[in-house]
Amino acid sequence: MAVQTGLGEPRGPWFISPELDPDGRGWWDAPERDPGGRRPGRLLAVLAVVAISAVSGAVAGGVVASRDGAGGPAAASAAPVPAELVTAAERTVPGVVSVLAGGATSGSTSGGSATGSGFAVDDQQHLITNDHILAKGGGGPVTVELPDGRRFAAEVVGREPRSDLAVLKVPASAGLTPLPLAKPGATRVGEPVLAVGSPLGLAGTVTAGIVSALNRQVRLGNNRHTAVQTDASINPGNSGGPLVNARGEVVGVNTAIATIDGNGSIGIGFAIPIEQVQQTADTIIGKGG
């Protein structure tokens, strides 16, 4: 599609669930290959989880088949979207920004630059994002692009590579609305959630899904973490964006997706739980001001 021209390939640290990698080697080290030179065909042998640098979509309404009263041919009709999800999206999008690191332009990812997402957490205009976005930017300047198109140079308040979190700060004139955080331990498997961010540079994108699992063990670099698993569509550029519940509360920070052979989202995404996000952000802000 023309809109994706020049976006570059997804970049970021590798993730792998221990359940998919029992010997701890990582799928890319699997010695067995088929005659064609490819990795084993079993899904579990090739399921890789990669970090994202941009995120995306629109709330899915779904399509159902129906017939008219006269028994006519099947027609497509949109299933109603729960009103609370629409309200949550309307409240969340104004507080979510695009993060451009290392001189990146919106939607681009190239050597020494990266794009992702972030969101405001307080009235002092502190923003949460993923550390791997800044790492890919090579320590270069960080710019934040607001939903209304305004851009601000962002101060890096602090970074925590082990948890893949970072805190930025923009001037008070940005006027971003902070997003409320969910209460610790309140997230439940099966509850509806929205992933909000800038997948492929498409700012203000919202995708819907559910919480698929809690306390999912994944690996970030050499570190293992507990994550929230979701089937909400997450793509490169969603990194650092919020995963919110139907009340518009942030339950996690979108960080990684599972892929097959490096292709796009297959409906398995991971977010850093809000408990860890809040603890790390409070520590960074307390040190950096």
Side-chain angles (χ1 to χ4, degrees), residues 7-12 50-57 96-100 105-109 114-119 128-130 132-133 195-205 207 233-242 253-257 265:
L7 294 177
E9 63 177 312
R11 302 293 180 87
V50 296
I52 26 182
S53 52
V55 107
S56 67
V96 180
V97 303
S98 297
V99 177
L100 317 175
T105 58
S106 184
S108 71
T109 303
T115 63
S117 305
F119 61 96
I128 300 293
T129 191
N130 276 145
H132 72 255
I133 300 170
V196 186
S198 303
L200 305 182
L202 303 174
T205 295
T207 54
S233 180
I234 294 175
N235 290 283
N238 275 116
S239 286
V253 174
N254 300 313
T255 300
I257 56 173
S265 173

Side-chain angles (χ1 to χ4, degrees), residues 19 21 44 53 62 76 94 125 142 161 171-172 185 230:
E19 291 87 349
D21 181 28
L44 296 186
S53 52
Q125 303 297 286
V142 180
T230 180

